Amino acid sequence: MLNNDTQLEASWLQRLQQNDEQALAAIMRKYYTALYNYGARFTNDEALIKDCIQEVFISLWQRRENATSILSSRYYLLRAVKNRVLKSLHQHNLHTGSMEGEDAYDFLQEFSVEKLIIDRQMSEEQATILRKTMAQLSKRQHELIYLKFYQQLDHAQIAGLMNLSRQSVYNLLHETIQKLRNLWQAEIFNQ
């Protein structure tokens, strides 16, 4: 299935390069929800997120001659949306005098505990422990989990999105999983 998706994306990008508006529409349909959900991790401003996504697709259309050089549509679009959202937030912060820096944005992630309860028939007690455990992770760890397990990006793509080296992604993922495991076990034993 992944191979079919890759071939389909390559076909869309090739058609896009040949001025096929339907290819752009297909890419938009496939990725809009994922892009919106990712943008919502950085801000609650719905209009800003939608504007940024629209700007990304306009830019993709304007630069369609280079479309076939895109190796992963999902990665390219997630990266572009993140950059646009963070740039807009940065410009807003400059106007309002807010703090700047690498951690100036919050990565807002609400893990769907309810879905986990239904899918895995977890008890409410376990869901509470999971919420407490997840709350102890840093913003970077939340973003890493989201990109790895919700967006299924590989380590190199995550490194690019989070401005880390590939080794740092491996290390942070290992550290995050280890921390989750230790916190989970500590919570279970404290019950």
Side-chain angles (χ1 to χ4, degrees), residues 5 11 19 30 36 56 58 73 76-77 85 101 106-107 119-120 129 136 157 160 170 175 179 182:
D5 281 349
S11 167
N19 301 325
K30 177 164 176 105
Y36 182 86
V56 165
I58 289 170
S73 299
Y76 173 85
L77 294 169
V85 169
D106 284 328
F107 186 76
D119 291 348
R120 298 186 183 144
I129 293 170
Q136 296 180 51
Q157 293 169 330
Y170 283 110
E175 173 187 315
K179 184 175 182 178
N182 292 339

Side-chain angles (χ1 to χ4, degrees), residues 35 39 52-53 56 76-86:
L35 296 175
C52 289
I53 293 171
V56 165
Y76 173 85
L77 294 169
L78 286 170
R79 176 81 181 186
V81 166
K82 178 181 181 177
N83 289 341
R84 296 269 178 169
V85 169
L86 293 180

Side-chain angles (χ1 to χ4, degrees), residues 19-43:
N19 301 325
D20 185 345
E21 292 177 12
Q22 295 302 314
L24 179 64
I27 294 168
M28 290 172 69
R29 277 191 304 276
K30 177 164 176 105
Y31 292 110
Y32 185 87
T33 302
L35 296 175
Y36 182 86
N37 289 338
Y38 189 50
R41 304 304 175 215
F42 301 101
T43 181

Side-chain angles (χ1 to χ4, degrees), residues 41-43 85-87 89-94 96-108 139-140 143:
R41 304 304 175 215
F42 301 101
T43 181
V85 169
L86 293 180
K87 182 178 179 182
L89 291 174
H90 176 72
Q91 289 172 344
H92 174 74
N93 289 343
L94 287 177
T96 62
S98 299
M99 291 198 50
E100 300 176 43
E102 184 178 325
D103 291 331
Y105 70 88
D106 284 328
F107 186 76
L108 310 169
K139 292 182 275 187
R140 301 285 271 177
E143 184 175 7

Side-chain angles (χ1 to χ4, degrees), residues 13-26:
L13 293 173
Q14 187 175 29
R15 289 176 33 215
L16 182 68
Q17 195 173 30
Q18 297 167 352
N19 301 325
D20 185 345
E21 292 177 12
Q22 295 302 314
L24 179 64

Side-chain angles (χ1 to χ4, degrees), residues 109-124 126-131 134 145 149-150 180 184:
Q109 174 61 35
E110 292 182 27
F111 291 92
S112 178
V113 175
E114 291 78 18
K115 184 176 180 335
L116 291 174
I117 291 171
I118 293 169
D119 291 348
R120 298 186 183 144
Q121 299 178 349
M122 294 175 70
S123 68
E124 184 56 38
Q126 288 174 318
T128 301
I129 293 170
L130 180 59
R131 281 188 203 103
M134 295 302 292
I145 288 173
F149 298 108
Y150 286 76
L180 282 172
W184 181 262

